[in-house]
Amino acid sequence: PDWLLVSSEDLNHALLTEAARVAPGRVIYVAHTPQFFPFGPASWHPDETAMHAVRSAAAVIVISQAMAEYVERHIGVRATVIHPPMYGEGPHLPLGDFEHGFIAMINPCQVKGISLFLAIADAMRRQRFAALPGWGTTHDDLANLKRRPNVTVLSRVREIEQFLSRVKILLMPSLWLEGFGLIATEAMLRGVPVVASDSGGLKEAKAGTNYLIPVRLIEHYEPVFDDRYMPRPVLPAESIEPWVEAITELSSDESRYRQEAASQKAAAEAFVARLDLLQIERFLATLTPREQAAHLPDEIQIGLSEAKQRLLLARLKHKQVKS
């Protein structure tokens, strides 16, 4: 191929290392989720061979400036920011429901900040909260949500508007390093105010709008895996006061709510207007294969700890059952 694009969403980096072996100098690394990168402090599986494959790639494409800085800081490679133009042409009708909508969260799980969400719900018992389960939501997470009388667990939806039409405020209390935060832009485009943590690319997704709240990010994980095959994070202590204050401001004053919804919608529209469907094609057209790619062995030896071998085996078995 002219170019071989390899996604970062590859648990043990087997695709990346094999691509670098068979197409040296022609690999484009598409880096979205830092936990899946083979390098850096956020990585779940650091791997020197895979890291060299990224360094020898013809280009690295990232989803945010935060990820570009992360890549350059940890492996000295200057990445190119290309945001996926996946929001549709619009116009996006305002959906925020001040009167009857929920204070909601998508994909409630440990890394996305379910601990903060539950603590906020407990502190604001007169408010109506809702959660839409996602890829990280465990059986324990669901049980904890259902235990709260002021939290509704929503059914999964085919179109995001079906969810956002029932939301007053979207909470994104993420505690891991975020590559970007696509749902923040999707909600803001539809006039649903977003209150988010200041994690990684979420700052860019919020596009300079209000209600970006500092948090302490997860720094360590235990070698124990939940029923979604995710390592168990060591959660830092967090304060719910800024979140409660933000929710109180937006939910108690309709004019303030409408003003913020309009401001966030305008910021998201301006961001989306700058996206270019053909940007990645034009970028690839400017590249030439790297002539001196780092040599990789003919047979890739993937070194996994015993705990990570169990995780990989569990995921493979899970995929076989689903298929």
Side-chain angles (χ1 to χ4, degrees):
D2 294 327
W3 301 113
L4 186 53
L5 277 71
V6 180
S7 169
S8 60
E9 317 305 280
D10 175 17
L11 178 66
N12 64 353
H13 319 303
L15 295 176
L16 171 63
T17 50
E18 179 65 6
R21 186 181 70 84
V22 302
R26 296 179 181 273
V27 173
I28 312 294
Y29 187 58
V30 183
H32 283 184
T33 306
Q35 289 73 22
F36 300 157
F37 298 175
F39 57 84
S43 175
W44 285 357
H45 180 204
D47 183 286
E48 187 173 352
T49 299
M51 179 185 67
H52 285 305
V54 176
R55 280 185 172 149
S56 66
V60 176
I61 295 175
V62 293
I63 198 171
S64 65
Q65 186 59 42
M67 289 301 96
E69 293 170 359
Y70 182 91
V71 170
E72 185 165 15
R73 181 165 62 251
H74 296 295
I75 62 170
V77 172
R78 181 162 295 183
T80 299
V81 179
I82 299 180
H83 195 283
M86 44 75 71
Y87 301 101
E89 295 183 3
H92 302 285
L93 299 178
L95 297 178
D97 186 351
F98 178 81
E99 291 292 335
H100 307 292
F102 291 107
I103 299 161
M105 177 182 181
I106 283 183
N107 192 21
C109 59
Q110 293 293 333
V111 297
K112 295 291 185 177
I114 189 175
S115 56
L116 267 173
F117 181 79
L118 293 173
I120 294 164
D122 289 343
M124 306 183 77
R125 295 184 182 276
R126 294 186 179 182
Q127 295 284 359
R128 297 170 65 242
F129 291 82
L132 182 65
W135 54 259
T137 307
T138 67
H139 295 308
D140 285 344
D141 294 332
L142 283 174
N144 283 326
L145 291 165
K146 292 177 179 178
R147 199 172 292 128
R148 270 74 179 179
N150 61 333
V151 175
T152 299
V153 177
L154 301 176
S155 300
R156 297 185 181 184
V157 295
R158 183 174 295 274
E159 302 293 340
I160 196 63
E161 288 85 356
Q162 295 173 265
F163 165 73
L164 293 174
S165 65
R166 304 180 65 185
V167 176
K168 177 194 295 188
I169 302 166
L170 181 66
L171 300 185
M172 297 187 67
S174 189
L175 298 178
W176 74 348
L177 183 65
E178 287 285 352
F180 183 70
L182 299 172
I183 185 58
T185 303
E186 291 182 298
M188 290 163 60
L189 280 172
R190 293 162 177 85
V192 177
V194 175
V195 180
S197 74
D198 64 347
S199 170
L202 270 178
K203 298 177 185 178
E204 294 165 63
K206 282 284 287 170
T209 60
N210 297 319
Y211 301 109
L212 189 70
I213 298 178
V215 295
R216 297 175 61 200
L217 295 183
I218 295 166
E219 295 182 355
H220 305 288
Y221 296 85
E222 299 180 53
V224 178
F225 304 98
D226 61 29
D227 57 47
R228 305 302 294 174
Y229 313 112
M230 300 265 288
R232 186 167 65 195
V234 178
L235 299 176
E238 305 286 353
S239 172
I240 66 168
E241 279 73 17
W243 299 88
V244 171
E245 182 179 344
I247 293 168
T248 301
E249 285 181 6
L250 289 171
S251 61
S252 61
D253 184 341
E254 185 170 1
S255 63
R256 177 75 187 92
Y257 176 89
R258 299 297 177 196
Q259 180 185 18
E260 186 62 26
S263 175
Q264 292 196 19
K265 181 174 172 61
E269 288 173 342
F271 167 76
V272 170
R274 296 192 296 269
L275 302 183
D276 182 355
L277 283 169
L278 301 180
Q279 182 183 4
I280 191 168
E281 182 178 348
R282 284 196 292 269
F283 173 69
L284 294 177
T286 68
L287 298 177
T288 55
R290 292 191 60 172
E291 295 181 0
Q292 295 181 339
H295 175 72
L296 293 171
D298 290 336
E299 293 184 4
I300 302 300
Q301 301 295 325
I302 300 172
L304 293 174
S305 67
E306 183 178 349
K308 287 177 178 174
Q309 289 179 36
R310 291 198 302 270
L311 170 62
L312 180 58
L313 181 60
R315 287 197 172 194
L316 291 172
K317 287 181 177 179
H318 180 67
K319 287 184 179 181
Q320 288 176 345
V321 169
K322 290 181 67 176
S323 61

